[in-house]
Amino acid sequence: MKLRKAMAVALAGALVLTTIATGTTSEAAKKTKLKTKKVSIFVKGKKKISITGKKAKHKYTFTSKKKKIAKVSKKGVITGVKAGKTTITVKDTWKQKGKKKTKKLGTVKVTVKAKTPVVKPTQKPVVTPPVQAPVVTPAQTPVVTPPAQTPDGGSQTPVPSVKPSAKPSIKPSTKPSTAPTEKPIPTPDVEMSLEKNQLKPEDTTTATVSVSAGEVNEVTWSVEKADVASAVKDAQDAKKAVITGKAAGETKITATVKVTVEEKEFTLKAESSIKVAAVVVNPVIESDSVEVNIGEKIDLAVKVDVETSMIESIVWDVEGDIATVETDAVDITKVTLTGVTRGKGKVTVTVTVKQGDETATNTATVNLEVIQPIIEVDLSKGVSTPSWFSGVSGEAQKDGSYKITWAADADKYGSAKFNFDDGMDLTGYYCVIDAEGCISTVEIHDKEKHETIYNNPYSVTKIQYGKTFPFVLQLSPDNLNTAEVSEGGTADYTNVGGVQFAKGEETEELVLTVKSIKFYKYEKDIPANMLPAPAK
């Protein structure tokens, strides 16, 4: 009998060990991979990011580099916002031996295309009989450039310059003209914010909805689980509601919002989750947003609505690699943040508290932008010139400046451009150019966008004709180029890619020596000798 019991125990032990070993091997073989690498969608289109080999108790986060181009939900659903390109970073976060671990799974390249509806003309098009003229087959397509100025400040009559083409035959058109395409009214976005997303029974908080455009006409509030919480519309402001905790549990607050944009009505929904429990924590970072220079250090702190003795852990995290955080050795509610590289992201703090056998965990997040106050263009890389212009040359000088020469027989409106390696978000920056020599036209170009007609690089600011130096121009809404973009969408300063200089109709040799091209975040940093003299 004893022998049988011993054998039974041994067999059971072997079975357990086999099961454990098999489970361990299976888990180790399971590898998480980012399946989606490239996405192309239209504006308002949606597509979900696919991840294979997901693991239990792992959290997967998705972050869009340019939310104005495409946004992504917590579940990895990409939504096109406007035409352009961006990337989405995917991360895997988990806990190992009580410590938070994060691994970057990869990035998804996203291209959003414009989807312009065709609007039929309300009136019959007028057909103009063609003028009988001989067929002209030019070797080049004319490109008309607006008038430049002569060195003495006088204007010149624009003369077409030429750009190589496939030598098309130009014939009088017999096609009728059509009515212009109407601009579609964009669907507004709606968001809900909660002052607190955790409540004790009988405690209250405020929910608020906001819309990206239009006027809010009516808001209807509802709660998924009426026994957990209630929502009562604010008597003074329909966009707000008072949320009251009733009993332990989690529920969803929903706001149905009616919005009018340019006389068109939309019905939208916004949702937020709220938790009601005996022990809660609502951390708050003592700043709505954070801006820090590269290399600069700033202090951040988190406030919690519980006693310090109840805090079990506080974990800080920075989205991406734009900054680092170092926890204070004495006070874990404080950290020192250091800017590393230009970019935008978020700072998140996760707080866990414990009282008796009850625990609560919650997070707080603020927007972060790491900036470079002064960005200088590397002139030593030289200039590029369009192939359809001749007689333009450049040479780096020993003092670090760059000399651009237009020969006496150079093509009219010939240009030379300093290109950036990567497009940069320079919204609000001041472009400051120190140069000497001839008067020049100055254009600040987008990295990827082009003009609709000739497909030339698109100038994000209004073209600056016949300028002297020093030259200062802020990349502000007042100076934004309003001409059409061939890729669709509107102009902005989020992807600046180069600065171009061009001559006019002059027939003598011209020289412009560019000493520096810098972009300043703050006007106070611009040297006084670069700023224009105050008007008398």
Side-chain angles (χ1 to χ4, degrees), residues 221-243:
W221 296 86
S222 61
V223 179
E224 184 181 34
K225 298 177 182 177
D227 59 331
V228 175
S230 64
V232 178
K233 184 190 297 185
D234 188 290
Q236 305 298 324
D237 189 347
K239 297 191 292 295
K240 293 184 177 182
V242 177
I243 312 300

Side-chain angles (χ1 to χ4, degrees), residues 315-429:
V315 179
W316 292 82
D317 183 53
V318 177
E319 178 183 33
D321 55 1
I322 61 174
T324 61
V325 288
E326 184 178 353
T327 305
D328 188 284
V330 178
D331 188 349
I332 61 173
T333 64
K334 297 180 180 179
V335 292
T336 299
L337 184 144
T338 305
V340 176
T341 183
R342 290 185 79 233
K344 295 180 180 180
K346 294 183 182 297
V347 179
T348 301
V349 60
T350 303
V351 181
T352 301
V353 299
K354 186 173 184 180
Q355 185 176 27
D357 295 331
E358 298 286 334
T359 61
T361 299
N362 205 352
T363 62
T365 302
V366 294
N367 293 322
L368 167 67
E369 182 177 7
V370 180
I371 64 172
Q372 189 173 351
I374 304 173
I375 302 170
E376 184 167 5
V377 177
D378 185 358
L379 303 180
S380 66
K381 294 182 179 179
V383 294
S384 63
T385 59
S387 59
W388 56 89
F389 286 130
S390 64
V392 186
S393 60
E395 183 181 8
Q397 305 299 296
K398 292 181 179 180
D399 62 359
S401 62
Y402 197 90
K403 180 180 177 182
I404 303 171
T405 302
W406 289 270
D409 60 350
D411 290 327
K412 297 173 183 178
Y413 312 112
S415 65
K417 179 181 174 186
F418 292 95
N419 295 291
F420 309 158
D421 290 337
D422 298 303
M424 293 187 288
D425 186 348
L426 297 176
T427 305
Y429 275 76

Side-chain angles (χ1 to χ4, degrees), residues 42-58:
F42 287 103
V43 173
K44 297 183 184 178
K46 296 180 182 289
K47 192 160 186 178
K48 188 172 183 179
I49 296 172
S50 178
I51 299 174
T52 59
K54 285 186 176 181
K55 297 176 183 178
K57 297 184 179 180
H58 281 232

